Amino acid sequence: MYNRSHRMKEPRGDIHARPETSAPRRDFYARLDKKNLAPVWEVLGDLFPVEPHPSCVPALWKYSELRPLLLEAAGLITAEEAQRRVLALDNPGLRGCTQITQSLYAGVQLLLPGEIAPSHRHVSSALRFVIESKGAYTAVNGERTTMHPGDFILTPSWTFHDHGNEGDSPAIWLDGLDFPIVNFFDAGFIERYPEASQPVMRREGDAVARYGTNLLPLEYEAESLTSPIFNYPYARSREALHLLSRNSAPHPCHGFKMQYANPATGGYPMPTIAAFLQFLPSGFLGAASRSTDGTVFCCTEGHGRSRVGASVFEWTEHDIFVVPSWCPVAHEASADAVLFSFSDRPAQKALGFWREHLV
Ligand code: 1HN
């Protein structure tokens, strides 16, 4: 729960009261400007808002509109030429930034049967949330994993990754990347692998066997900040939510909501990105809450609506919507519904910034 003390009445006048601008002051500011100097008292309110005022706005993308546009893109450019044939979900308040929130990118990617998205690695961490796939795979660090709808798949920072579709229908997934954070620090690098596909070094399922069955290799010590499991299969996550919904009461805001975990640490799966799965039983009427991590949601099952600030988003399977930082959100389900979501919560928590307020 966040600390309300900053909301207390300001005893010494409005913290945002801006000093008067007089002719001598204006003249002084103009002379400062020529020397690359600026009077901070003129901009204090913008630099230190009383509470977050994100440029990011609430937005919804309907899958019924996204899918045909992705297929149209496939008629114009191959996955090979594009490297990644992705339509970015550009936040309307951040146009031109290729960002869905201040800190995160989201997009929808398409691979046609037989296509390969060539191998590369970058500092940015990535996640995939699978929407449609029968026989597509992602390869990470020498191991392939088959993508099934609803699977949550990781690409750790600086690991080679490529995708391929060996099925006979289009494969489509939601990508989430943290490159706005990486680029904020000017810490980005990218490198191509010399071939389109990296060599397969281990059998499929190796990572799950080693790290994803409540066992760990003997005296295992984490070598990376990212979870050693790189596919969290939907079938298991869905089953867990279903079971716990029969044994407990829903959270008044979040319904039955779980976070994906790094089995080696119990922490978040990636250092910058958290991901969640929530079950909202039919008829669920959630109370509003808000948090400082702007969050991307994708409906995986059912339908319902979310009040996000002043907007009401009606969503059904595969629709994607974004909730900006500190914007109240309340979910309702008109049929049993499952929402996947991701945010920059681990980064904010590591730095001590994160706040949540259950309204
Ligand atoms: C990227 O590497 C992938 O690996 C997807 O599939 C989307 C968007 C911007 C920059 C790199 C991928 C991306 C991306």
Side-chain angles (χ1 to χ4, degrees), residues 98-134:
T98 322
Q99 290 176 207
I100 192 161
T101 67
Q102 187 62 26
S103 59
L104 295 172
Y105 158 93
V108 281
Q109 182 162 176
L110 164 68
L111 273 188
L112 292 178
E115 284 190 318
I116 289 174
S119 200
H120 67 195
R121 64 178 175 180
H122 35 66
V123 169
S124 182
S125 300
L127 67 82
R128 330 278 162 203
F129 188 71
V130 183
I131 294 176
E132 292 183 42
S133 164
K134 284 190 196 121

Side-chain angles (χ1 to χ4, degrees), residues 274-345:
F276 310 88
L277 198 67
Q278 70 198 107
F279 172 61
L280 308 175
S282 181
F284 179 76
L285 278 179
S289 68
R290 56 180 168 172
S291 58
T292 53
D293 51 330
T295 304
V296 180
F297 287 84
C298 179
C299 169
T300 73
E301 286 180 38
H303 47 92
R305 78 189 57 78
S306 299
R307 252 184 307 114
V308 185
S311 306
V312 177
F313 295 145
E314 300 274 348
W315 41 257
T316 184
E317 273 187 21
H318 315 318
D319 291 347
I320 300 163
F321 61 97
V322 60
V323 178
S325 165
W326 215 233
C327 180
V329 56
H331 306 294
E332 296 176 16
S334 28
D336 278 359
V338 179
L339 296 177
F340 168 81
S341 57
F342 68 95
S343 78
D344 65 8
R345 190 174 301 184

Side-chain angles (χ1 to χ4, degrees), residues 83-84 86 98 105 109 117-118 120 122 126 128 155 161 163 173 175 177 179 190:
Q83 295 195 52
R84 295 296 185 263
V86 198
T98 322
Y105 158 93
Q109 182 162 176
H120 67 195
H122 35 66
R128 330 278 162 203
T155 308
H161 55 283
H163 320 294
W173 61 87
D175 285 312
L177 285 92
F179 64 72
I190 187 166

Side-chain angles (χ1 to χ4, degrees), residues 35 76 81 97 105 121 146 151 155-156 178 197 203 218 271 312 339 343:
K35 304 276 181 199
L76 293 170
E81 186 185 354
C97 302
Y105 158 93
R121 64 178 175 180
T146 303
D151 289 358
T155 308
D178 65 358
S197 303
R203 279 173 204 270
L218 203 57
V312 177
L339 296 177
S343 78

Side-chain angles (χ1 to χ4, degrees), residues 79-80 83-84 109 111 115-122 128 137-144 155 158-164 190-200:
E80 194 186 359
Q83 295 195 52
R84 295 296 185 263
Q109 182 162 176
L111 273 188
E115 284 190 318
I116 289 174
S119 200
H120 67 195
R121 64 178 175 180
H122 35 66
R128 330 278 162 203
Y137 67 85
T138 279
V140 175
N141 249 350
E143 186 179 334
R144 282 185 183 180
T155 308
W158 206 240
T159 52
F160 281 110
H161 55 283
D162 42 270
H163 320 294
I190 187 166
E191 207 170 80
R192 282 179 103 150
Y193 193 78
E195 282 115 55
S197 303
Q198 62 182 303
V200 175

Side-chain angles (χ1 to χ4, degrees), residues 3 17 19 24 33 85 111 123 130 154 184 194 198-199 208 225 229 232 265 293 301 339 352:
N3 175 353
D33 189 59
R85 192 203 286 116
L111 273 188
V123 169
V130 183
L154 308 185
F184 172 80
Q198 62 182 303
V208 172
L225 295 172
I229 304 179
Y232 294 74
T265 63
D293 51 330
E301 286 180 38
L339 296 177

